[in-house]
Amino acid sequence: MCGIAGIIDPNRRISPDDLTGLADSMDRSLEHRGPDGHDVWLDHDAGVALVHRRLAIVDLSPAGRQPMHSADGRFVISYNGEVYSHLEIRRELEAAGQGFRGHSDTEVILESVARYGITGTVRRLIGMFAIAIWDRRDRTLTLVRDRLGIKPVYWAKIDGVFMFASELKALREYRGWTPRIRPEAVASYMRHNYIPTPHTIYQGVHKLEPGTILTLPWNGEPSSEKFWNAREIAIDGIRNPLREDDAELTDRLESLLLDAVGKRMMADVPLGAFLSGGIDSSLVVALMKATNSGPVKTFSIGFEQREFNEAPYAAAIAKHLGTEHTELMVSSSEALDVVPKLAEMFDEPFADSSQIPTYLVSAMTRKHVTVALSGDGGDELFAGYNRYQLTSNIWRKLTLLPGFMRKGAASGLASVGADQWDNIFAIVRRYRPTAQPGRSLHKLASLLEVDDSTQIYRQLVSHWDPAALMPGVSETVGVLQDDTIQHDFPNLLDRMQLLDLTTYLPDDILTKVDRTSMAVALEARVPLLDHRVVELAWRMPRSVKIRNGKTKWLLRQVLNRHVPAELVERPKMGFGVPLADWLRGPLRDWAENLLSEKRLGEAGLFDTALVRRYWEQHLSRKNNWAYLLWDVLMFEAWRERWG
C-alpha cells in the first residue's frame, strides 16, 4: 500500500525547478501513506513527474521500489495497492520468455502492460489498485482504479496542467491552482455524509470512478472507459442465477472465500485481522485459520459504555478459533483525542462517525502488524443492512394505506421529539440505546407520503434535506438520481444492493477504511470484495441472502461450519460511538465554536437559523440531532483546516 501522485505539463507552464519542487512537496504531503521509502521520477523535456511513497509489503528489497521502469524502458509506473494474482501472471510471462529483477507485484503489472497492454492487464488483476502508467514512447498517461473503488484516485486538469494523487492534499501543493468549494458537492455531502463519486468538494477536481481506465493523450483531453461495470455485472448475475441447492451454494461460496482470503495472506511483513465479533470479520478470521498457514493475530477495541462495546463478542470468537488476540479498551477521552485529527485525515468533508473507532483500531493494530484483513463488503453483497428489510416492509405497508391516513400518521409521529420517543420506548420495553427508536420514527414520518419504493431507500440513507439546509443550491447528480435503475432492477432488494455497492460502499465504507488505516501506515485488505466474490454474489438467489428474516443467510451458513452460531447470533450493532452524549458533554465547547452564528455566516452556505435550532434542541434533549450536527461539524472542521 502506498501513495501516488503526478503532474503532466505538456506546455511547460511549470519551470523545471518548480516541477521538481512541486513533485517533492506532493511527495511529502503523502508521507503517512508510505513511510518506508519515496522517490520521484522526472522527465523535464516532457514536463512529467511521477511520485511514489512506499509502504513495503511484498519484496522489501530495492527491486520493489517505485516509480519503476519496464525492462524495455517504455513504461514508468507509480502504483498503490496489492495484486494477489501476480504470481499466476508472472508464470505466464516467464513462460513467454520474460525475465524479472525482483518478486514484486509492481514489476509483474509493468511487464504485463508491456506485453498485453493496459486493458489486457487490468482484466487479469485480482486485488485493489490505483495505477498510474506513463508511456514514454507515445507520451500518454493512463490512470486505473480497481473494480470496487478500494483505492482512491483524484485528478484535475487546471489551465492545461494535469494532476493526480491518492489524496486531495497532494493536489493542493500546486500553487497555480486556487481551490474553490463547489456548493452542489456540499449539498450532496449534507445528504449522504460523504461526497459521491465522481464529484469532490472542489470545482474542477474529480474522483476516478471504480473499474475505470482514464487515458490522457499528449496535450489532449482525458477520456475514460469502464473495464468492469458493477451495474452490468449485477444485471448479468440476476439473469443467470445459479440453480443449486443450499449445500452446493454454501460449498461454492466457501471455496471461493477460502481462495480470496488465502490470497490476501500473502505478505513479507507481519499480518493480522480486525475482529469485531460480527459475522463478516468472524468469517474472515475463521477462513484465515482454515488456510492452516500458522497462528492468526486478531485485534479489537472496546468502549467503556457497555452499549457500544463489542469487545466481549470478539474475545469469544478469538477464544474459539484460538487466535493471538489483542484487545484495547478505549476511554472516552482517548476517543475524543481523535476528533482534532479528522480534518487532516479526511481532506474533503466526511462525517461517518465510525471513522473514530476505525482509526483507533487501526492505530492499535499497526503497533503489531503492517497488514490487516477486514470484513467489509458482506452487508452490501449478502443483504446485511437492516434498511433492506425495513424499506421493503415500509413500502408493502404504505401501499395498503390511503393517502389521508399516511398524512395523519406522519403528523402525529413528527409532533413528538425523537428523544421523547426514546424515553417512551425505554419505559414500555427494553431496547438497545444505539438503535435510537425516536430517530427511526421521525424517519418513518418523512416516508409516509412517499409514493415510490426507491424514494423510501433514498430517504432512509439521507441525513439533511439539502433543499431546507441550503436553499437554492442543487445537489450533484449521480446514480442515486438515475431513474433507469428501477427499469434495470425491478426487484427492490436488488436495486438497493446495487445502489449501496456503487455509492455507499466506495464513498463511505472504503474511504473510511483507506484514510484511517493509511493515516497510520497500515494496509487494510478486504477479501469479501474480491471481484470474483462480488460476481458470484449477484448470481446467488435472493432466498439465500435473506431467509425467514435472517440477513446474510448464506454467509452465516459458511461461518457456522467454523464457529458455533450462538457466538455470533445477536442483533446487528454497528461500529458506533456515543456521539449524542459527547456533543452535550466533552465536545460541547468545540461544537459551539464551530456552530456559532458568526462562523456559519462566514461560510454563507447553510441556513444558520436552522442549524442553530437543531443545536439548541439537541442540547435541551428535545431531539437527538447528533448525526446531522456531526455533518455540519465535520464540514466546518474541514473548512477550518482546508477551506
Side-chain angles (χ1 to χ4, degrees), residues 231-355:
R231 184 169 176 170
E232 292 178 0
I233 292 295
I235 291 170
D236 183 68
I238 293 167
R239 288 175 178 170
N240 297 283
L242 294 169
R243 304 195 182 280
E244 300 173 354
D245 63 29
D246 290 346
E248 290 170 322
L249 291 174
T250 306
D251 289 343
R252 183 189 286 268
L253 179 59
E254 182 178 35
S255 176
L256 182 53
L257 287 175
L258 276 166
D259 184 68
V261 168
K263 279 180 163 58
R264 284 157 182 80
M265 295 181 71
M266 183 188 308
D268 296 334
V269 293
L271 174 146
F274 299 138
L275 180 60
S276 70
I279 293 167
D280 302 334
S281 66
S282 299
L283 178 57
V284 168
V285 172
L287 296 178
M288 290 173 75
K289 286 288 295 183
T291 62
N292 295 316
S293 56
V296 173
K297 299 177 185 293
T298 54
F299 303 91
S300 67
I301 62 169
F303 287 97
E304 296 169 334
Q305 296 89 343
R306 185 174 59 85
E307 63 269 25
F308 295 94
N309 185 22
E310 291 187 291
Y313 306 118
I317 298 293
K319 181 178 180 181
H320 175 79
L321 293 174
T323 70
E324 296 178 8
H325 189 58
T326 302
E327 177 185 297
L328 173 68
M329 289 301 296
V330 178
S331 67
S332 291
S333 62
E334 289 172 310
L336 293 170
D337 286 343
V338 177
V339 174
K341 303 175 183 178
L342 295 175
E344 184 70 32
M345 212 180 299
F346 295 88
D347 50 9
E348 76 172 353
F350 183 85
D352 181 339
S353 59
S354 65
Q355 61 202 136

Side-chain angles (χ1 to χ4, degrees), residues 13 34 93 104 153 166 173 237 271 277 341 343 346 426 429 465 480 485 509 516 548 572 638 641:
R13 294 174 183 268
L93 292 168
S104 71
V153 187
S166 297
E173 296 298 324
L271 174 146
K341 303 175 183 178
F346 295 88
R429 68 183 180 91
D465 174 6
L480 282 167
I485 294 284
I509 301 298
T516 54
N548 298 325
K572 189 174 180 63
W638 172 86
R641 171 63 182 89

Side-chain angles (χ1 to χ4, degrees), residues 94-150:
E94 286 176 331
Q98 178 65 50
F100 288 88
R101 294 157 282 177
H103 66 272
S104 71
D105 55 342
T106 308
E107 189 178 3
V108 171
I109 295 170
L110 199 52
E111 299 308 335
S112 178
V113 168
R115 178 169 293 270
Y116 302 122
I118 298 287
T119 303
T121 294
V122 297
R123 293 187 189 282
R124 287 174 162 81
L125 304 183
I126 298 173
M128 54 184 182
F129 44 86
I131 303 171
I133 293 182
W134 175 249
D135 183 337
R136 300 177 71 188
R137 187 192 72 187
D138 294 345
R139 291 194 167 187
T140 299
L141 175 75
T142 302
L143 298 178
V144 186
R145 189 178 184 193
D146 65 66
R147 297 169 179 86
L148 279 304
I150 303 168

